[in-house]
Amino acid sequence: ASKEGGVCSELSGQGKPKITAWEAGWNGMFVLGLPYAILHGGYLGLFLIIFAAVVCCYTGKILIACLYEENEDGEIVRVRDSYVDIANACCAPRFPTLGGRIVNVAQIIELVMTCILYVVVSGNLMYNSFPNLPVSQKSWSIIATAVLLPCAFLKNLKAVSKFSLLCTLAHFVINILVIAYCLSRARDWAWDKVKFYIDVKKFPISIGIIVFSYTSQIFLPSLEGNMQNPKEFHCMMNWTHIAACILKGLFALVAYLTWADETKEVITDNLPSTIRAVVNIFLVAKALLSYPLPFFAAVEVLERSLFQDGNRAFFPNCYGGDGRLKSWGLTLRCALVVFTLLMAIYVPHFALLMGLTGSLTGAGLCFLLPSLFHLKLLWRKLLWHHVFFDVAIFVIGGICSVSGFIHSLEGLIEAFRTNAED
């Protein structure tokens, strides 16, 4: 399932046309960091790409199962609409809003980090495409953010949602170009470099990168609710995760075999300068066009939870009586854009940021919370093997999350110190 498509569905109104299983599964995969994961994991990294696909597919299904309950007539009916509703149901009656707040915080972190990654990758790609220009990576990030500043004026996604399919097609074209170049160097592939040995210190970062590439659980309830035939959801989850697993695994392996130990955080940086400039420009365009979706979703969550939640809102409504955005509300939106820029400037490490986000929110939203909610809400109806899977996923996910977060944080601190010394 798609992170970008999920945002569009999550923010669409109830009166919108329903989508088919194919439209729900259509996705553009952000796989630039996966070869870097293979660099530190070898064959275990490939296994992890497959394992993460299987687990995310399973947790997506059980998360949707938590939306339904059996009524008095024995019929299964949908009684919840979102991840937040599931979380609140698990914490009721003592803390009826605690679960929703935890999910909202995790969602905001992931969406904002996604925005930061788009700015980071834009600056990185432009800097490496035109190394002879007297423009630093930070300066390119500032230029990218200046282009993105109009996002603060967005009232809805009509203006940008039409670019979603275009972005996806562009990314597939880029993937094909990279793989085609790698295949042209197939005779020089370094099969001997792919081993079962792992870098104990850096492999947990790879776990976060791989997990982040699969995260979409927040949007699955909305996707399933907008499908013409919700019964096709399980089938859609199966074929999308199988396809994603195969494509991601092949892309990561082929790219790593081509460059082996020289594999960089953003794989397009390994391409020859002539091809790199063309590929990177397309990727920058995709990143800039993709930025408004997670940005607007983050703004929606913040405004709904802090400014528009009736009497429980922490701050006054940022919209006037005529529906227009107040000046201070616009200022807050601009501040969020600038915040993503500052983070991109001071932490310009694509793979480490991906690993940190995947370990912090990705593992929680994809592994920990779905299995915990499934056990809490459907405990009496679960078979023993479902209980075993849920507990195992929770334990393994918890270990991977803590380990990946610590090592990603250590990597960022080490990189920051190195940059300071330079």
Side-chain angles (χ1 to χ4, degrees):
S2 160
K3 186 177 293 187
E4 293 178 355
V7 173
C8 290
S9 296
E10 180 74 13
L11 299 176
S12 63
Q14 294 298 321
K16 299 292 183 180
K18 297 293 184 178
I19 60 176
T20 64
W22 171 253
E23 292 168 329
W26 180 256
N27 67 89
M29 293 170 294
F30 207 72
V31 295
L32 298 181
L34 289 180
Y36 188 76
I38 303 299
L39 173 65
H40 300 301
Y43 285 112
L44 191 57
L46 284 174
F47 169 77
L48 196 58
I49 290 175
I50 300 172
F51 179 76
V54 173
V55 173
C56 287
C57 184
Y58 172 77
T59 57
K61 292 177 181 179
I62 64 174
L63 186 67
I64 295 304
C66 293
L67 297 173
Y68 293 84
E69 285 188 2
E70 191 174 298
N71 62 14
E72 296 177 354
D73 299 326
E75 299 175 342
I76 302 298
V77 294
R78 203 176 201 260
V79 296
R80 303 178 187 96
D81 293 320
S82 66
Y83 206 138
V84 171
D85 291 341
I86 296 172
N88 284 334
C90 287
C91 294
R94 286 191 174 184
F95 309 101
T97 61
L98 177 61
R101 289 178 180 175
I102 293 174
V103 169
N104 273 336
V105 169
Q107 182 179 4
I108 290 169
I109 291 174
E110 179 155 324
L111 291 169
V112 172
M113 288 296 286
T114 301
C115 292
I116 294 169
L117 281 168
Y118 281 134
V119 178
V120 169
V121 80
S122 297
N124 181 291
L125 292 173
M126 292 302 294
Y127 177 73
N128 286 285
S129 298
F130 307 100
N132 295 326
L133 292 180
V135 183
S136 65
Q137 181 173 333
K138 293 180 180 179
S139 298
W140 280 119
S141 295
I142 293 172
I143 294 171
T145 307
V147 175
L148 295 170
L149 199 57
C151 292
F153 297 88
L154 286 174
K155 285 189 176 182
N156 55 62
L157 284 177
K158 288 182 181 179
V160 294
S161 60
K162 63 182 68 176
F163 293 115
S164 183
L165 180 59
L166 182 62
C167 291
T168 301
L169 291 174
H171 206 113
F172 270 113
V173 171
I174 297 305
N175 290 345
I176 290 171
L177 290 176
V178 174
I179 291 177
Y181 175 80
C182 294
L183 292 175
S184 70
R185 294 184 52 189
R187 293 182 179 179
D188 301 323
W189 280 357
W191 286 99
D192 58 314
K193 294 291 185 178
V194 188
K195 301 178 181 179
F196 286 99
Y197 169 79
I198 64 172
D199 187 329
V200 178
K201 186 176 181 180
K202 293 186 177 181
F203 182 65
I205 301 173
S206 301
I207 297 175
I209 292 173
I210 292 169
V211 170
F212 181 77
S213 73
Y214 281 106
T215 54
S216 62
Q217 260 69 354
I218 286 178
F219 311 112
L220 292 183
S222 181
L223 278 174
E224 192 260 358
N226 281 282
M227 290 178 66
Q228 291 176 353
N229 185 4
K231 293 181 179 180
E232 295 179 349
F233 178 81
H234 280 219
C235 180
M236 182 275 292
M237 288 290 288
N238 289 336
W239 67 257
T240 51
H241 281 79
I242 290 172
C245 175
I246 293 173
L247 292 174
K248 290 178 182 182
L250 286 176
F251 182 90
L253 179 61
V254 168
Y256 176 73
L257 288 173
T258 304
W259 290 287
D261 294 339
E262 296 179 1
T263 301
K264 297 182 179 179
E265 289 187 23
V266 181
I267 196 59
T268 55
D269 289 347
N270 287 105
L271 292 170
S273 57
T274 52
I275 302 176
R276 185 196 315 155
V278 176
V279 171
N280 284 355
I281 288 174
F282 275 100
L283 280 172
V284 169
K286 182 197 180 301
L288 296 179
L289 290 171
S290 300
Y291 181 97
L293 293 171
F295 174 82
F296 189 75
V299 168
E300 283 281 290
V301 175
L302 284 170
E303 289 180 348
R304 186 171 60 246
S305 57
L306 299 179
F307 300 93
Q308 298 174 351
D309 196 13
N311 296 326
R312 294 179 296 176
F314 291 96
F315 305 102
N317 200 323
C318 51
Y319 289 92
D322 56 356
R324 292 185 179 182
L325 187 67
K326 295 179 180 179
S327 58
W328 63 270
L330 179 61
T331 302
L332 289 176
R333 288 183 172 209
C334 292
L336 183 58
V337 176
V338 174
F339 173 75
T340 61
L341 168 64
L342 294 176
M343 287 292 292
I345 288 177
Y346 289 104
V347 195
H349 301 282
F350 178 74
L352 291 174
L353 277 175
M354 246 185 108
L356 183 67
T357 307
S359 300
L360 181 63
T361 61
L365 294 170
C366 289
F367 299 159
L368 305 182
L369 294 182
S371 56
L372 186 63
F373 294 163
H374 194 225
L375 289 170
K376 178 70 167 62
L377 294 175
L378 302 175
W379 172 260
R380 296 180 180 179
K381 300 178 181 179
L382 297 181
L383 300 176
W384 71 268
H385 61 275
H386 289 144
V387 175
F388 174 78
F389 288 150
D390 291 348
V391 173
I393 290 171
F394 185 85
V395 173
I396 295 173
I399 294 173
C400 292
S401 177
V402 173
S403 177
F405 176 77
I406 292 174
H407 285 85
S408 295
L409 198 59
E410 288 179 349
L412 284 172
I413 293 173
E414 182 178 344
F416 184 79
R417 288 177 179 173
T418 302
N419 290 340
E421 291 173 359
D422 292 341

